């Protein structure tokens, strides 16, 4: 580009995909020559093998239950004979209980920690949006109020990760057209483009950020399922309820409200 067409210096311009070398249009749609082909396809084959293994296990369990007239368990747990009553019955049963229901009890806190991790890892415009959502969720305070807004939060995470995926792909470089924020009239530099997570041929968006967003979306989806399970009587019998003890808990009278045995002051 000419001097009036861009404000990018020459050294930074050489790193652009448009001017660093010939552009293969097929790479934009995910097609690239590779040798050996098996190395290129090994991750795809591994995912197919894992999915086939999962489907085989589920089909085998369904066939076994139908053949022996068995009903599926209420909760998808490893130790089906462990309930909330076994939590205080020895260390082994405690470990088994948390293997079954750790996310049921601490899933919401795990989502909050992952949200803080996304904010700390990204430190960009979308991290600020995640921070606003975290404040909005924490402002509800009550678990029932958080459960009401949680589907909207999951919808936000699903939409924003899809939108960022398309930002990472960007426009095809084959037409050799640069983005408008790289024109001579735009007051954008590489740091602003990186912070705004704009698609760019010089400072390309970091796709690793989508991994953090995906882990948060995965846990948020599991937590949404947990909120639905909390309303099922059969699940509450097995795993216990997640109802707050009281609205304004006084530390001095904690033992009066807490239905769980106190191993420190019950001597």
């Amino acid at each position: 580009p000419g001097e009036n067409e861009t404000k990018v210096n020459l050294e930074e311009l050489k790193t652009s995909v448009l001017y660093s070398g010939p552009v293969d249009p097929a790479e934009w749609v995910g097609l690239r020559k590779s040798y050996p082909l098996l190395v290129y396809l090994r991750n795809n084959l591994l995912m197919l093998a894992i999915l086939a293994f999962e489907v085989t296990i589920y089909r085998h369990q369904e066939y076994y239950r139908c053949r022996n007239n068995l009903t599926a368990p209420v909760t998808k747990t490893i130790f089906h004979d462990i309930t909330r009553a076994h939590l205080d019955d020895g260390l082994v049963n405690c470990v088994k209980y948390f293997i079954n229901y750790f996310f049921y009890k601490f899933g919401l806190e795990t989502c909050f920690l992952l949200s803080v991790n996304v904010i700390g890892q990204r430190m960009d415009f979308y991290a600020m949006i995640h921070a606003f959502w975290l404040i909005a969720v924490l402002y509800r305070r009550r678990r029932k109020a958080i459960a009401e807004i949680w589907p909207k939060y999951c919808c936000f995470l699903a939409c924003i990760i899809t939108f960022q995926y398309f930002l990472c792909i960007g426009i095809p470089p084959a037409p050799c057209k640069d983005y408008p924020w790289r024109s001579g009239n735009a007051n954008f530099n590489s740091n602003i483009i990186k912070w705004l997570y704009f698609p760019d041929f010089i400072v390309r968006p970091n796709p690793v950020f989508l991994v953090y967003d995906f882990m948060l979306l995965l846990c948020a989806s599991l937590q949404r399922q947990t909120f639905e399970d909390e309303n099922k009587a059969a699940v509450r019998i097995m795993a216990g309820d997640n109802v707050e003890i009281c609205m304004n808990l006084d530390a001095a009278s904690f033992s009066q409200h807490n239905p769980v045995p106190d191993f420190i002051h019950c001597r």
Side-chain angles (χ1 to χ4, degrees), residues 30-206:
L31 301 177
R32 182 179 61 189
K33 291 183 179 181
S34 179
Y35 182 82
L37 185 61
L38 184 61
V39 177
Y40 182 71
L41 297 176
R42 60 183 178 184
N43 292 332
N44 302 76
L45 296 176
L46 180 61
M47 291 182 62
L48 288 176
I50 293 175
L51 291 174
F53 182 69
E54 180 187 15
V55 172
T56 302
I57 291 177
Y58 277 109
R59 290 295 182 183
H60 176 74
Q61 289 178 340
E62 184 178 358
Y63 172 75
Y64 181 81
R65 293 192 184 103
C66 292
R67 185 178 181 181
N68 296 277
N69 295 324
L70 300 176
T71 58
V74 178
T75 58
K76 296 179 180 180
T77 55
I78 298 177
F79 306 103
H80 302 305
D81 56 339
I82 298 296
T83 63
R84 177 63 181 84
H86 298 88
L87 177 59
D88 303 314
D89 188 17
L91 183 60
V92 177
N93 289 336
C94 179
V95 173
K96 289 182 179 180
Y97 175 83
F98 280 114
I99 290 176
N100 285 344
Y101 304 109
F102 175 83
F103 202 88
Y104 179 83
K105 286 295 183 181
F106 301 104
L108 190 59
E109 291 78 5
T110 303
C111 292
F112 290 156
L113 290 176
L114 285 176
S115 180
V116 173
N117 176 67
V118 170
I119 296 171
Q121 294 290 343
R122 298 189 60 115
M123 297 297 289
D124 59 0
F125 174 73
Y126 293 94
M128 185 174 63
I129 298 178
H130 279 286
F132 287 148
W133 261 103
L134 181 61
I135 294 173
V137 172
L138 290 175
Y139 183 75
R140 306 299 291 262
R141 298 183 61 186
R142 301 285 294 176
R143 190 177 182 90
K144 286 293 183 182
I146 294 176
E148 293 176 357
I149 199 178
W150 201 258
K152 300 179 181 178
Y153 182 56
C154 293
C155 182
F156 155 74
L157 293 176
C159 293
I160 200 171
I161 194 174
T162 305
F163 178 70
Q164 292 177 92
Y165 176 77
F166 287 111
L167 290 181
C168 289
I169 295 176
I171 62 175
C176 295
K177 296 293 184 180
D178 213 338
Y179 291 97
W181 40 86
R182 285 299 185 182
S183 62
N185 299 326
N187 295 321
F188 286 86
N189 56 33
S190 296
N191 291 330
I192 296 178
I193 293 174
K194 182 179 179 181
W195 186 79
L196 292 173
Y197 206 69
F198 278 176
D200 189 65
F201 292 119
I202 299 177
V203 185
R204 284 169 285 184
N206 189 1

Side-chain angles (χ1 to χ4, degrees), residues 11-30:
E11 293 298 326
E12 194 175 16
L13 200 62
K14 290 180 179 179
T15 62
S16 175
V17 178
L18 296 179
Y19 311 111
S20 60
V23 177
D24 186 4
E27 290 190 5
W28 187 76
V29 295

